[in-house]
Amino acid sequence: MKTYKVGIIGIGRISLVHIEALRRLDHVDVVSISSRHQVEEKSKRLGIKSYYTDYKEMIDKEMLDAVHICTSNDVHYEIASYALNHNLHVILEKPMTMNVDEAIKLYQLAKSKGLVAKIHFHNRFYANNQFVKTHIEDIGPIISIHGEYTQSWAASPDVYNWRDNQKYGGLTRVIADVGTHYFDLVEFLSGHKITEVSALFKQVHPKRGGNVVDTEDIGVIIYKTDKNAIGSAIISQSLIGNDNLLSYTLSGLNGSFKSNGDKTSSILYATLNEQFKGIEITQIDTLKNGILHQAVTFVESFTESFRQFYHEIGNKNFASDYANFEDGLHSMQLIEAIYQSQSLNKWVKVSKENK
């Protein structure tokens, strides 16, 4: 089996999870990292000998097969474009880009190159979510989707990071950072696409850590889908009590699936005139070959998404569950529609443009 040589661009918290997850795959080798800050110290701590402050130099000098881009949103487009133009496969942290125009260009470039290019929506790869995806027809035509993605780590006005300002994160904060996970997951599971939105934002803290911020703390969205379902979601990182809660209920004419978000090893299921009952699932058939892999922890969900990614490089006709750049573009169009809706105080249709 070929061993893939990988470079990591941007060495922050999330990239450490990428590296840990990749090291669980025997056929993937993280050979180099790139970071603008303290890169030598980071390389020593990670045990990776090759390091660069300039990602372009890393791509030019190292014989890489793929890169994982784990930087702030403002440089996603330029880095991914450079990697694709140098014929590297790409995993890009969400959100895809800063705006829809960049996303369209990146989608077109990846399509023209024929490379494997993915957006890292890892929630697709938890055992309970894979079970729902496999059994979604059991609940019949879906009529309602509702849920939340709420966290508490930004509840204090003392908390500040680059995501708080549009200059580095884009038009939205919590919608782009965690709302994208929620919307991608419910669309992936249901097979529906969100087509129209009505949104309301609330900024709780106009200043964070003494810095003026220009993004939202809470977003509430109601929406319609292309298959005549309606839905709602609340998104925030400033609600006290939930460390990290992504919950959803998918309701069909014959039954419902419900995830309370607290256990990725179980799903709740109910049929007509029944109460919800729990189903335990801990493994997924990642490569669809009958071999099961554990997928209940944060790192395990990353490992299984990466297992699919590197398998797809050598098997282009593989039916991957990983979000591709077309999904990423749709996600950016959804972000833009949500932002426009709350700005204009009206329903806004989600764009379908991709050319």
Side-chain angles (χ1 to χ4, degrees):
M1 180 183 292
K2 174 182 170 62
T3 297
Y4 294 99
K5 297 173 67 177
V6 179
I8 309 292
I9 303 174
I11 306 299
R13 184 189 66 86
I14 203 65
S15 66
L16 303 182
V17 185
H18 279 248
I19 292 168
E20 182 181 352
L22 287 168
R23 284 176 166 168
R24 299 184 180 197
L25 300 174
D26 294 337
H27 60 302
V28 179
D29 186 12
V30 180
V31 299
S32 188
I33 63 172
S34 172
S35 177
R36 291 177 289 189
H37 308 288
Q38 300 176 312
V39 67
E40 183 176 4
E41 176 187 327
K42 293 173 181 177
S43 71
K44 289 179 180 178
R45 187 169 67 247
L46 292 166
I48 299 171
K49 293 181 180 179
S50 172
Y51 59 87
Y52 298 84
T53 56
D54 183 349
Y55 73 88
K56 292 181 179 178
E57 186 178 4
M58 181 183 75
I59 289 174
D60 293 345
K61 290 185 176 180
E62 300 289 336
M63 300 295 291
L64 301 174
D65 295 295
V67 292
H68 291 220
I69 302 170
C70 306
T71 62
S72 56
N73 306 343
D74 56 317
V75 289
H76 280 188
Y77 173 73
E78 70 168 69
I79 298 174
S81 297
Y82 195 84
L84 290 167
N85 279 319
H86 285 74
N87 297 312
L88 297 182
H89 305 285
V90 171
I91 289 177
L92 179 58
E93 272 291 341
K94 51 75 207 166
M96 185 176 184
T97 52
M98 288 283 280
N99 54 60
V100 170
D101 287 344
E102 287 183 346
I104 290 173
K105 293 175 184 175
L106 209 51
Y107 162 74
Q108 292 171 337
L109 177 60
K111 188 176 181 181
S112 70
K113 289 289 185 178
L115 295 162
V116 180
K118 304 293 183 179
I119 305 296
H120 189 57
F121 289 124
H122 69 280
N123 289 287
R124 294 182 176 205
F125 291 88
Y126 282 118
N128 59 348
N129 294 332
Q130 284 282 314
F131 179 87
V132 171
K133 179 65 175 178
T134 303
H135 293 85
I136 195 63
E137 292 185 0
D138 294 354
I139 65 173
I142 294 170
I143 56 175
S144 171
I145 304 168
H146 68 269
E148 66 181 279
Y149 199 161
T150 53
Q151 301 172 331
S152 61
W153 66 270
S156 169
D158 296 330
V159 174
Y160 174 81
N161 70 24
W162 58 264
R163 294 176 179 85
D164 295 326
N165 291 105
Q166 293 182 352
K167 179 179 179 181
Y168 302 106
L171 291 174
T172 72
R173 185 205 322 162
V174 298
I175 300 301
D177 194 35
V178 292
T180 49
H181 276 301
Y182 168 83
F183 292 116
D184 176 77
L185 181 60
V186 297
E187 288 185 324
F188 170 68
L189 297 179
S190 67
H192 289 223
K193 288 291 185 184
I194 296 170
T195 56
E196 195 171 0
V197 297
S198 178
L200 179 66
F201 285 3
K202 182 177 179 62
Q203 185 185 72
V204 180
H205 302 301
K207 285 189 176 182
R208 287 184 167 276
N211 301 283
V212 175
V213 300
D214 56 5
T215 53
E216 81 286 357
D217 290 302
I218 306 170
V220 176
I221 303 94
I222 55 176
Y223 53 89
K224 306 173 186 177
T225 78
D226 60 346
K227 297 180 181 179
N228 298 315
I230 58 173
S232 66
I234 182 167
I235 311 297
S236 182
Q237 294 167 318
S238 300
L239 301 186
I240 295 170
N242 287 330
D243 178 48
N244 185 57
L245 178 66
L246 198 175
S247 68
Y248 61 80
T249 301
L250 304 174
S251 296
L253 291 175
N254 301 328
S256 295
F257 281 119
K258 181 176 183 179
S259 169
N260 286 329
D262 54 349
K263 286 183 67 178
T264 55
S265 61
S266 66
I267 196 73
L268 297 171
Y269 173 64
T271 57
L272 188 64
N273 298 322
E274 283 188 341
Q275 297 296 308
F276 279 109
K277 57 186 176 182
I279 301 172
E280 294 293 317
I281 324 100
T282 60
Q283 297 179 313
I284 66 174
D285 186 1
T286 309
L287 301 185
K288 307 182 183 186
N289 59 2
I291 299 174
L292 299 179
H293 299 275
Q294 187 87 358
V296 295
T297 70
F298 190 49
V299 176
E300 286 170 352
S301 72
F302 278 51
T303 296
E304 296 317 303
S305 63
F306 300 157
R307 192 187 305 277
Q308 271 206 0
F309 176 81
Y310 289 99
H311 179 76
E312 187 178 353
I313 292 174
N315 300 270
K316 292 297 177 68
N317 294 322
F318 176 74
S320 175
D321 293 322
Y322 216 144
N324 57 33
F325 273 22
E326 185 173 8
D327 298 320
L329 169 57
H330 169 72
S331 180
M332 292 304 305
Q333 291 165 330
L334 179 54
I335 291 172
E336 183 180 80
I338 290 170
Y339 181 80
Q340 289 178 347
S341 173
Q342 66 83 32
S343 298
L344 300 172
N345 193 29
K346 69 176 187 179
W347 281 89
V348 172
K349 292 185 182 298
V350 180
S351 171
K352 297 180 180 180
E353 182 184 0
N354 60 17
K355 297 180 181 179

